[in-house]
Amino acid sequence: MRYSRYFIPTVKETPSDAEVVSHQLMLRAGMIRKLAAGIYNYLPLGLRSIRKFENIVREEMNRAEAIEMLMPGVQPAELWQESGRWTFYGKELLRFKDRKDAEFCMGPTHEEVITDMVRREIKSYRQMPVNFYQIQTKFRDEIRPRFGLMRGREFIMKDAYSFDVDSSAADSSYDRMYQAYMRIFTRCGLNFRAVEADTGSIGGSSSHEFMVLAESGEDAIVSCNACSYAANVEKAESAQLPVGTETGLLQLQEIATPEMKTIADVAAFLGVATETTVKTLVYAHENGEIVMALVRGDHELNEIKLKNHLGWDDIQMASEEQIRSCTGSPIGFLGPCDLKQKIKVIADNVLKNMVNVVIGANQKDLHFTNANCGRDFTVDIFTDIRSVVAGDPCPRCADGKLEMWRGIEVGHVFKLGTKYSKALSATYLDPDGKEQVIFMGCYGIGIGRTVAAAIEQNHDENGIIFPIPIAPFHCSLVAINNTKDAVVMAASEDICKQLENVGIEVLFDDRDERPGVKFKDNDLIGIPLRLVVGSKSLAEGKVELKIRATGEVHTLSISDAVSMIQQLVKGALERD
Ligand code: ATP
Ligand code: MG
């Protein structure tokens, strides 16, 4: 491809509305342009990377015997009403009416559509297992579209849906997709982790997220430093913390803590560690139900764990009014002692081993010290409701400690069980002619998000450093002074042909620009290999090959350069 005939509108300045590096670089490299919030044009260079990644995904899906198809973006409301999600999905579902007043939505995902197709076409156990996938545009009216392709409103997703005769067959389909995902992200050269994920309101079944490790990631994940345990913090557990030195129960004391509304204030005032304090939080359901939750002072309550424990579909901090009505206390001095009204008190497991704690006294400017569960207050249930922290003991192995990372969720695999097949009556006849409900799994990969995540992980101050498998071109060929130097131009054209003949994708920078401009642009757009053809070295039969990622420079004969490029590309694209 000749740069001069191509379209790469690079930009020098960092766009002010782009917060993360990948968004900045994709704009600066002329890969994408914003049309509206969360809606982008994929310019030629961006599209090339997207297509490269799609092809890797497609190859691995096909290898795992998933079958490609394509479903529509516009979906009728009836299907969503049948699954119950027309009301449940909320505002991310963009709804509209056609000229006949029939209701539709833009598909944010395709469980309903595929289950409808399958219930019509799959009638017998003989037709399963089967797994359908597509690479298609989704629309989600995200509340905060941001970070470019990372969280768009319109975005490309690969989604696959497996259909099996029973739960154990569905587990095999799930494992197959899990392995395919491992291969996909490995092939892209990404540093990633597969982590256990929360299954939310669907419950029971299992789920893994594939996280590209990056500081800018929106998710917090943990992994064990000794075994393979890894989980999203939303879900991560820890082994029981070691018990402190035993002391007898001391006498409850009331302490004045004027204006000290935070745990840190109170602990500092009393000269104790926050680990000896207990934090009290009050949560409410939309329907008005209220619960009190207790966690150790230095721990964070995990709302997702609490919500799952309660089986609630929604959770929010209780209002000041709600808090006053059940505790009688202003915020900042809450505690489980002397409640005005009986509410359920849920304490984190860690509190089981704590004695003589500092806790709010349910009165303005007052705390208790030496409060003890059972004697001074009642806990209805002990369960895991805190977020783990770095250094917590691993829940799976004896000596491991948890380490924390930030990650970008690029893929998600999920055992759905019979949630959708039941709701939509997707059944089949078993060998005995008996009607049975189909077991499903669903498997998503964010195509644009993965390309953005790859950039987030692979860049330097000069721009993008694409891993070869998803680079828009393998190699750039920078011809120095080519518009004035016919020898350089002819040699460059010849080298370009030689490279293309051996399957290398070359971006031939034949522009009438100074070398500095060409080098800058080629660094910015992240082409992994750069071959420079200049008159001086050419006179000695040499060209210069630079590896973008390491900065290594090799001065080589033309034929050596061609074979080295060929080797490097082949090595990067190799798979077993
Ligand atoms: P998130 O928690 O980031 O909103 P999600 O759990 O809603 O993601 P899924 O419904 O599992 O995402 O979608 C499958 C994949 O699609 C995700 O793993 C992610 O890679 C991608 N994806 C989801 N939402 C977006 C978005 N708004 N923009 C780009 N990619 C997205
Ligand atoms: Mg989402």
Side-chain angles (χ1 to χ4, degrees):
M1 180 67 67
R2 282 175 189 261
Y3 203 132
S4 64
R5 314 289 308 155
Y6 202 48
F7 183 71
I8 311 177
T10 57
V11 178
K12 272 204 199 78
E13 299 76 33
T14 300
S16 60
D17 61 335
E19 294 165 66
V20 295
V21 170
S22 59
H23 187 194
Q24 292 166 0
L25 288 175
M26 288 180 97
L27 288 168
R28 286 189 54 211
M31 294 177 72
I32 55 168
R33 287 291 182 266
K34 179 164 134 182
L35 177 66
I39 302 179
Y40 288 85
N41 279 310
Y42 301 97
L43 301 192
L45 199 69
L47 186 63
R48 278 187 79 100
S49 265
I50 298 257
R51 291 281 184 255
K52 285 276 180 77
F53 181 53
E54 284 178 358
N55 283 337
I56 293 174
V57 171
R58 190 171 273 120
E59 281 175 18
E60 294 302 331
M61 285 294 115
N62 293 346
R63 181 205 288 264
E65 293 183 310
I67 308 168
E68 185 165 11
M69 63 176 288
L70 187 60
M71 289 176 261
V74 173
Q75 308 183 4
E78 288 77 20
L79 282 179
W80 287 75
Q81 282 153 354
E82 245 186 285
S83 73
R85 285 208 289 187
W86 187 253
T87 37
F88 193 72
Y89 209 93
K91 290 191 173 166
E92 271 186 31
L93 190 64
L94 181 66
R95 303 146 209 256
F96 56 94
K97 287 181 178 170
D98 70 4
R99 63 170 77 199
K100 292 184 185 140
D101 240 16
E103 285 189 295
F104 288 88
C105 64
M106 291 300 294
T109 175
H110 281 71
E111 282 82 6
E112 281 80 359
V113 175
I114 191 73
T115 310
D116 176 63
M117 192 280 276
V118 162
R119 73 176 162 185
R120 291 166 198 275
E121 308 298 333
I122 304 245
K123 306 280 185 202
S124 157
Y125 71 96
R126 287 198 186 86
Q127 294 167 282
M128 289 179 280
V130 66
N131 185 336
F132 296 106
Y133 81 95
Q134 63 173 347
I135 297 175
Q136 188 261 6
T137 302
K138 301 278 181 274
F139 194 95
R140 294 181 183 179
D141 202 355
E142 297 274 355
I143 184 164
R144 275 191 75 199
R146 58 189 179 149
F147 305 160
L149 300 194
M150 203 81 92
R151 185 170 295 285
R153 292 198 296 164
E154 186 177 298
F155 60 96
I156 305 171
M157 195 202 285
K158 184 286 299 178
D159 43 333
Y161 306 89
S162 63
F163 298 85
D164 281 283
V165 292
D166 58 25
S167 172
S168 84
D171 288 353
S172 308
S173 297
Y174 181 89
D175 291 343
R176 218 161 175 197
M177 282 294 107
Y178 182 100
Q179 293 309 332
Y181 277 39
M182 294 297 289
R183 291 182 56 88
I184 288 168
F185 299 115
T186 305
R187 276 182 64 182
C188 295
L190 297 172
N191 184 9
F192 72 97
R193 296 275 190 287
V195 303
E196 291 180 14
D198 172 51
T199 51
S201 51
I202 296 170
S205 34
S206 115
S207 163
H208 286 87
E209 288 163 343
F210 289 76
M211 296 280 185
V212 166
L213 303 186
E215 269 312 305
S216 61
E218 289 185 294
D219 284 275
I221 61 177
V222 299
S223 63
C224 174
N225 63 4
C227 76
S228 63
Y229 178 70
N232 192 312
V233 165
E234 292 178 355
K235 160 101 200 269
E237 297 159 16
S238 120
Q240 188 62 270
L241 298 184
V243 185
T245 42
E246 281 292 315
T247 10
L249 304 194
L250 304 175
Q251 201 184 345
L252 185 71
Q253 277 191 329
E254 212 176 73
I255 305 274
T257 49
E259 299 303 322
M260 291 168 209
K261 293 189 179 173
T262 68
I263 288 284
D265 290 346
V266 175
F269 173 70
L270 296 173
V272 298
T274 48
E275 284 94 316
T276 65
T277 68
V278 168
K279 193 154 48 181
T280 305
L281 299 136
V282 182
Y283 281 90
H285 187 272
E286 247 176 359
N287 68 12
E289 206 179 324
I290 296 175
V291 296
M292 179 173 275
L294 308 177
V295 290
R296 200 171 81 180
D298 59 321
H299 286 157
E300 291 299 326
L301 181 123
N302 184 322
E303 288 187 6
I304 291 172
K305 287 184 179 177
L306 180 61
K307 185 172 151 216
N308 289 346
H309 169 80
L310 292 164
W312 287 5
D313 55 0
D314 146 276
I315 197 162
Q316 54 215 348
M317 295 288 259
S319 67
E320 207 158 344
E321 202 177 311
Q322 284 172 314
I323 290 174
R324 257 188 204 279
S325 76
C326 60
T327 66
S329 164
I331 291 169
F333 305 94
L334 296 181
C337 308
D338 311 321
L339 293 175
K340 240 174 98 178
Q341 182 190 317
K342 171 71 193 146
I343 49 170
K344 192 184 221 175
V345 179
I346 302 170
D348 182 61
N349 279 333
V350 172
L351 268 61
K352 267 191 217 160
N353 296 330
M354 290 174 72
V355 291
N356 304 322
V357 302
V358 175
I359 202 162
N362 269 340
Q363 287 180 58
K364 186 167 166 33
D365 299 339
L366 274 187
H367 276 79
F368 286 128
T369 58
N370 303 330
N372 284 288
C373 174
R375 182 189 72 184
D376 308 313
F377 60 91
T378 312
V379 167
D380 296 299
I381 295 156
F382 286 98
T383 186
D384 177 21
I385 51 165
R386 72 167 177 115
S387 293
V388 298
V389 293
D392 275 345
C394 175
R396 296 289 153 80
C397 72
D399 319 305
K401 295 257 177 290
L402 299 182
E403 295 176 323
M404 288 271 202
W405 312 88
R406 302 232 37 111
I408 300 166
E409 181 201 318
V410 287
H412 196 172
V413 292
F414 210 109
K415 289 184 191 170
L416 288 171
T418 55
K419 182 182 157 83
Y420 296 94
S421 44
K422 241 191 203 141
L424 273 74
S425 308
T427 59
Y428 69 97
L429 295 180
D430 71 11
D432 300 326
K434 255 179 68 193
E435 192 175 11
Q436 306 278 5
V437 180
I438 295 175
F439 277 76
M440 290 175 59
C442 69
Y443 317 93
I445 290 181
I447 300 290
R449 187 184 284 187
T450 304
V451 172
I455 295 173
E456 209 59 48
Q457 207 171 65
N458 299 281
H459 66 267
D460 63 12
E461 63 284 2
N462 299 319
I464 302 168
I465 309 171
F466 271 115
I468 289 176
I470 56 169
F473 294 91
H474 301 140
C475 180
S476 58
L477 197 163
V478 178
I480 308 287
N481 260 330
N482 56 301
T483 47
K484 297 180 193 85
D485 190 329
V487 181
V488 165
M489 188 60 176
S492 301
E493 280 177 330
D494 182 56
I495 297 167
C496 184
K497 256 199 211 100
Q498 284 188 45
L499 285 167
E500 284 175 349
N501 284 343
V502 292
I504 304 300
E505 295 168 9
V506 186
L507 179 63
F508 175 20
D509 198 344
D510 62 338
R511 292 176 298 166
D512 183 15
E513 288 286 1
R514 284 180 291 112
V517 172
K518 293 187 178 186
F519 292 152
K520 261 207 157 60
D521 277 340
N522 280 285
D523 275 351
L524 174 61
I525 66 178
I527 310 300
L529 306 171
R530 182 180 83 191
L531 196 61
V532 180
V533 182
S535 58
K536 241 200 199 148
S537 354
L538 197 61
E540 294 161 21
K542 301 273 183 194
V543 287
E544 199 179 76
L545 176 62
K546 185 170 177 184
I547 320 284
R548 175 78 179 85
T550 58
E552 279 168 67
V553 179
H554 303 268
T555 306
L556 302 163
S557 70
I558 292 171
S559 66
D560 283 352
V562 170
S563 62
M564 185 165 179
I565 291 168
Q566 211 183 340
Q567 288 309 314
L568 288 169
V569 171
K570 195 169 156 240
L573 300 184
E574 221 155 42
R575 58 198 172 89
D576 46 281

